[in-house]
């Protein structure tokens, strides 16, 4: 029986759309293309999530790849989370699940700075636990990261339903023994998947 719901963050609780973020920068199309590549496609981006590169190191590398006039925009994009864009329909789902007594958790591939802004995410007050990949030098879909969550909060995998926007991470959760579904941005569709798994939700 499902007793716990585990959420990814970017792409599930918050919009994480590099192309959208870059499109909002006051820059030419050519400069926006440079920013997208240097910031979000930078090899150190995933290393921040793994906890093996700092923001300062990543920013320095971004600047090396960009002309000087784009350094300020690169810094702003590095801190994309300062302008929180909640995923539609998810806060209401979280509050309903909490009211029905489900344990709620976040398991995110993210740098350590997630701790600094986690409280700003709609529904954060409802969460019973948080695991950030950078704290453990692991990344989804590594099985060990799912096991960090399970062990830290003493959860049995068969009682957990995991939600992520990345297919590989969904499969990783299933390999760790959890039920799981891919989130495609449609909260109503997610509610249907939860009901099919036996979760009591409207």
């Amino acid at each position: 029986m499902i007793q716990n719901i585990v959420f990814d963050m970017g792409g599930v609780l918050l919009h994480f759309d590099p192309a959208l973020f870059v499109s909002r920068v006051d820059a030419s199309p050519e400069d926006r293309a440079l920013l997208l590549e240097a910031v979000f496609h930078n090899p150190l981006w995933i290393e921040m999530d793994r906890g093996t590169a700092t923001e300062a190191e990543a920013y320095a590398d971004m600047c090396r790849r960009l002309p000087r006039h784009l350094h300020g925009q690169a810094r702003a994009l590095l801190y994309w989370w300062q302008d929180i864009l909640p995923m539609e329909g998810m806060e209401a789902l979280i509050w309903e699940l909490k009211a029905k007594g489900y344990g709620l958790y976040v398991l995110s591939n993210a740098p350590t700075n997630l701790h600094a802004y986690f409280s700003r995410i709609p529904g954060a007050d409802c969460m019973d636990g948080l695991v950030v990949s950078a704290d453990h030098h692991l990344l989804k879909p590594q099985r060990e990261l799912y096991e960090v969550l399970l062990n830290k909060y003493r959860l049995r995998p068969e009682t957990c339903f995991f939600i992520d926007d990345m297919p590989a991470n969904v499969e990783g959760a299933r390999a760790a023994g959890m039920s799981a579904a891919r989130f495609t941005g449609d909260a109503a569709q997610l509610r249907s998947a939860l009901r099919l798994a036996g979760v009591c939700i409207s």
Side-chain angles (χ1 to χ4, degrees):
M1 183 173 68
I2 301 299
Q3 300 171 332
N4 306 290
I5 314 298
V6 184
F7 298 89
D8 177 36
M9 184 196 62
V12 175
L13 299 181
L14 300 180
H15 285 279
F16 179 74
D17 186 345
L20 172 63
F21 301 153
V22 170
S23 74
R24 300 162 82 187
V25 172
D26 184 14
S28 69
E30 293 78 13
D31 281 349
R32 288 174 180 168
L34 290 175
L35 286 164
L36 182 63
E37 187 66 25
V39 176
F40 294 105
H41 297 166
N42 191 299
L44 292 189
W45 189 275
I46 195 168
E47 296 308 319
M48 286 192 294
D49 286 355
R50 199 192 305 272
T52 52
T54 66
E55 291 176 4
E57 290 168 338
Y59 177 62
D61 189 74
M62 292 168 190
C63 289
R64 283 192 290 270
R65 297 165 185 264
L66 290 166
R68 182 171 296 276
H69 72 276
L70 293 178
H71 291 185
Q73 288 94 327
R75 179 175 289 279
L77 290 168
L78 177 61
Y79 296 101
W80 63 273
W81 46 266
Q82 291 187 344
D83 183 14
I84 294 288
L85 297 175
M87 190 67 69
E88 296 80 1
M90 294 303 288
E91 184 177 12
L93 172 62
I94 288 168
W95 280 100
E96 185 174 347
L97 289 165
K98 188 67 174 179
K100 292 181 182 297
Y102 289 94
L104 303 179
Y105 301 87
V106 171
L107 174 59
S108 179
N109 281 355
T112 56
N113 63 21
L114 173 54
H115 295 288
Y117 67 90
F118 183 69
S119 63
R120 295 176 55 206
I121 298 172
D125 289 347
C126 296
M127 296 300 168
D128 298 293
L130 167 66
V131 169
V132 179
S133 61
D135 292 336
H136 305 280
H137 302 295
L138 295 166
L139 288 171
K140 293 177 294 185
Q142 290 178 266
R143 181 168 182 152
E144 293 87 347
L145 188 57
Y146 301 93
E147 291 175 346
V148 167
L149 174 82
L150 296 170
N151 294 332
K152 180 177 182 179
Y153 297 108
R154 299 183 180 181
L155 306 176
R156 299 193 314 277
E158 64 273 14
T159 68
C160 297
F161 189 99
F162 177 78
I163 303 158
D164 201 292
D165 62 317
M166 301 296 291
N169 297 341
V170 170
E171 290 307 313
R174 289 173 177 155
M178 303 182 193
S179 299
R182 183 186 178 199
F183 182 67
T184 60
D186 187 336
Q189 186 178 65
L190 176 59
R191 284 175 176 270
S192 296
L194 287 165
R195 286 194 294 270
L196 284 173
V199 175
C200 181
I201 195 76
S202 65

